[in-house]
Amino acid sequence: MNSLRKKLFVGYATIVALVIGLSLFSFIELKLLEQKIVAGERSAHLFDITLEIRRFEKNYFLYRQDADLAENRAYVEQAGALLREHADLFAALGDAARVAQLQRDINHYAVLIDRHAASPSTGDVATAAQIRKLGKAIVTVAEDWARAERKNLQAQLDRHRRMLLGSVALIGLAVITIGGLLARRVLRPLKEMEQKMEAVASGRLAKLEMASDEREIESLKRAFNHVLQELEMHQGQLVHAEKLAALGTLLAGVSHELNNPLSNIATSTQILAEEIGARRGQDMAVPPADGTTNNTDAAFQRELIAQIDAETWRARRIVSALLDYARDRDFRREVLPLAQLVEDTLRLMRGQIPASIAITVQIPETLAASGDRQRLQQVLLNLVKNAADAMPDGGVLHITARLTHAACVARPPERLIFGQCVNASAAVEIEVRDNGCGMAAETLPRIFDPFFTTKDVGKGMGLGLFIVFEIVEEHGGCIAVESTIGHGTTFTIRLPLEKS
Ligand code: ADP
């Protein structure tokens, strides 16, 4: 498997190797340049010596002074010694044969000078001419070398300058190319990962799926998916906790509701028992002459029995609704008559809503929503409970619903919409409106966050609206809220009729 670290290392190692290689090359070039400068100094020195030879030769021929002769000879010796000492260096300038020739010319020049000095009268003119000719030749060669060496040095300097510029350009190019390559190979998977994470965050993906042969990306992906799993698990636990809390509310309502049918059953049974007891007593005393009383009693008794039967069924319905609610079961979509659903929910909550709160429900009898009964009941329950909490001194709670064909909940400027509405041709819009304390603008965007609550410790867990949002999303719907401090709050839920 590839690794981003390896790629980064290879990239940087290549740049470092290139820089070191080019520096080494420059260093060698500088060494060569230094040698050239030394060679230039030597050839310039040789040229100077040959000029001195010629100067003292001229003086000697003009004034015949021994001192000039001695100077000339000394310089001839110096030239010879310099040539011998740096034969290799001069051979590199010209060729070895030319160096040998110059050496011979200098030696010959020395012999001629000595000869001319030994016998100034004999052969004076011819030797002098020979000396001058030879001297000129020596100066010419030395001058050629000095000039060639200067040119050489200049060429070397130019080459070095070009090379330096080339190296800088090459390093720059390498840094840009390798940097670009690394950025592409390292940043691309990270970018892709960022996009996928956003998709996961917005709910378009359940988990992070991306094929990458980079080791780091792979382990990051695994860690992210692990965190997702953990979160999902905790979320499930939270939902469960909230469900238990809601179950508590329901139980309070249920016990209140069960109380009435049960006491009715008890009363009816008592009366029936008394009636039967009394009849038996009468039967044993005097039997009725026309049978009227018996008929009235029989009708009354039937009525009582019918009442017991009805109340028993009512109690059973409540218990079965409670059991149905408590059972942890899969999402089950069905067509739900909305007015009935709201009425059932409100009945269960009756004990929880203070008498100072008036409730008005305006839902067409024929209007039906498509969804899971238990979950939608929980949504209504949480919204109604919050509305009741927001009106501690009493108020009015309106619950309305209508069929809409709009693609989304209308968005006036003061309304915040949460969730993504699935585009269905028809949807049901349920509105829960209170005229309670309302909410501040900065509170609104946070109310669906888990554990966000403004209520006192022990009063609110901050999970009610979070669950509401989850359920609405599960139905492919969305929820909007608008609120004004001191005037009240309106929640609007839009549920598509068929989940697409
Ligand atoms: P909880 O009711 O446990 O605080 P919720 O998630 O149900 O948790 O609500 C979060 C917060 O939203 C509440 O604490 C409250 O501040 C605010 N809120 C919800 N509904 C209303 C409402 N109808 N009126 C005013 N504030 C509300």
Side-chain angles (χ1 to χ4, degrees):
M1 183 172 271
N2 279 334
S3 134
L4 291 181
R5 194 192 306 176
K6 202 165 112 192
K7 277 179 191 158
L8 282 171
F9 176 76
V10 170
Y12 282 116
T14 312
I15 292 176
V16 169
L18 199 71
V19 170
I20 291 177
L22 287 172
S23 307
L24 221 70
F25 191 58
S26 278
F27 180 75
I28 294 168
E29 274 284 309
L30 276 176
K31 268 271 168 231
L32 284 176
L33 201 66
E34 194 184 334
Q35 281 174 10
K36 284 278 169 204
I37 290 170
V38 172
E41 276 174 0
R42 300 261 189 273
S43 51
H45 187 44
L46 181 70
F47 179 50
D48 288 345
I49 292 174
T50 55
L51 285 179
E52 290 302 311
I53 291 174
R54 292 294 329 263
R55 186 160 73 88
F56 286 108
E57 172 203 298
K58 208 181 202 173
N59 287 351
Y60 175 68
F61 283 141
L62 276 177
Y63 311 115
R64 300 282 165 181
Q65 294 289 324
D66 285 344
D68 291 332
L69 183 69
E71 285 289 344
N72 172 280
R73 285 293 286 112
Y75 278 116
V76 169
E77 281 306 318
Q78 261 190 45
L82 195 67
L83 258 187
R84 269 193 306 282
E85 198 179 334
H86 302 292
D88 292 346
L89 190 143
F90 289 113
L93 288 177
D95 53 54
R98 217 168 163 205
V99 178
Q101 181 57 47
L102 186 66
Q103 190 71 58
R104 278 199 298 278
D105 286 350
I106 288 172
N107 290 343
H108 191 200
Y109 181 88
V111 171
L112 287 177
I113 280 283
D114 287 346
R115 193 185 301 157
H116 189 271
S119 52
S121 49
T122 53
D124 203 14
V125 181
T127 314
Q130 235 180 323
I131 287 170
R132 282 199 188 92
K133 195 176 160 203
L134 208 53
K136 199 175 170 206
I138 290 169
V139 169
T140 309
V141 171
E143 192 182 6
D144 276 0
W145 284 355
R147 200 183 301 123
E149 195 49 41
R150 261 201 311 278
K151 261 186 166 172
N152 231 332
L153 198 62
Q154 191 59 46
Q156 187 85 6
L157 270 174
D158 287 347
R159 205 165 74 96
H160 192 70
R161 194 179 305 124
R162 275 198 305 274
M163 220 209 66
L164 263 182
L165 286 176
S167 303
V168 170
L170 195 68
I171 289 174
L173 200 75
V175 167
I176 290 170
T177 315
I178 293 173
L181 219 72
L182 281 181
R184 226 177 324 129
R185 304 220 66 178
V186 174
L187 292 183
R188 201 180 40 198
L190 289 179
K191 188 93 202 133
E192 192 188 340
M193 188 160 215
E194 187 190 334
Q195 283 167 354
K196 291 267 168 69
M197 280 176 169
E198 268 169 20
V200 171
S202 64
R204 278 176 283 134
L205 280 181
K207 64 177 195 165
L208 194 61
E209 295 280 13
M210 63 182 280
S212 172
D213 52 357
E214 315 290 356
R215 194 180 308 133
E216 290 84 352
I217 297 286
E218 193 53 38
S219 57
L220 211 64
K221 184 179 90 182
R222 244 180 284 128
F224 183 78
N225 281 338
H226 179 68
V227 170
L228 267 189
Q229 252 178 8
E230 292 282 312
L231 273 178
E232 216 168 284
M233 205 181 75
H234 288 304
Q235 192 167 315
Q237 287 168 352
L238 287 179
V239 171
H240 190 64
E242 178 64 12
K243 195 167 172 175
L244 286 178
L247 196 64
T249 309
L250 272 183
L251 273 176
V254 165
S255 48
H256 179 81
E257 276 296 299
L258 272 178
N259 214 22
N260 291 338
L262 289 178
S263 63
N264 287 346
I265 293 169
T267 318
S268 303
T269 319
Q270 256 174 24
I271 298 171
L272 194 61
E274 278 169 20
E275 278 291 315
I276 291 169
R279 237 197 93 195
R280 259 202 206 126
Q282 278 172 12
D283 283 350
M284 276 184 244
V286 194
D290 54 359
T292 352
T293 318
N294 267 350
N295 283 346
T296 322
D297 284 352
F300 183 53
Q301 282 163 10
R302 269 199 301 279
E303 195 191 317
L304 286 178
I305 289 172
Q307 227 174 48
I308 292 172
D309 192 44
E311 294 299 328
T312 313
W313 275 107
R314 192 172 151 208
R316 286 190 65 188
R317 265 211 320 277
I318 293 169
V319 172
S320 91
L322 176 67
L323 289 174
D324 196 33
Y325 180 86
R327 211 174 299 134
D328 189 14
R329 58 179 181 78
D330 291 339
F331 186 94
R332 204 168 59 209
R333 188 179 283 275
E334 57 186 309
V335 176
L336 301 163
L338 212 53
Q340 187 63 50
L341 188 78
V342 171
E343 196 191 316
D344 287 351
T345 314
L346 288 176
R347 182 149 23 85
L348 290 174
M349 293 190 74
R350 203 176 290 157
Q352 303 288 300
I353 303 171
S356 55
I357 294 176
I359 303 178
T360 67
V361 180
Q362 274 179 326
I363 301 173
E365 278 303 314
T366 50
L367 187 61
S370 158
D372 182 293
R373 172 187 293 275
Q374 179 209 311
R375 286 169 167 80
L376 288 184
Q377 255 192 337
Q378 189 165 3
V379 166
L380 287 168
L381 192 132
N382 289 352
L383 292 181
V384 171
K385 194 173 165 298
N386 275 344
D389 289 347
M391 301 184 286
D393 304 325
V396 186
L397 170 67
H398 297 277
I399 303 177
T400 54
R402 68 194 80 84
L403 188 69
T404 170
H405 292 277
C408 213
V409 178
R411 183 197 277 274
E414 65 281 6
R415 187 180 261 191
L416 289 180
I417 297 177
F418 298 84
Q420 300 247 313
C421 270
V422 170
N423 272 340
S425 54
V428 168
E429 245 178 49
I430 308 166
E431 197 177 278
V432 179
R433 177 157 43 95
D434 66 63
N435 61 353
C437 59
M439 284 176 266
E442 58 274 18
T443 306
L444 272 189
R446 303 175 56 200
I447 55 173
F448 293 102
D449 293 350
F451 298 114
F452 175 79
T453 183
T454 55
K455 294 174 191 168
D456 293 340
V457 181
K459 275 205 134 189
M461 275 173 73
L463 287 170
L465 289 180
F466 170 68
I467 301 284
V468 166
F469 179 74
E470 291 284 306
I471 295 176
V472 170
E473 278 251 295
E474 208 176 3
H475 282 78
C478 54
I479 183 163
V481 57
E482 61 181 293
S483 187
T484 317
I485 277 210
H487 286 91
T489 305
T490 306
F491 284 93
T492 311
I493 295 169
R494 184 181 185 281
L495 298 174
L497 278 187
E498 278 142 7
K499 200 175 177 199
S500 58

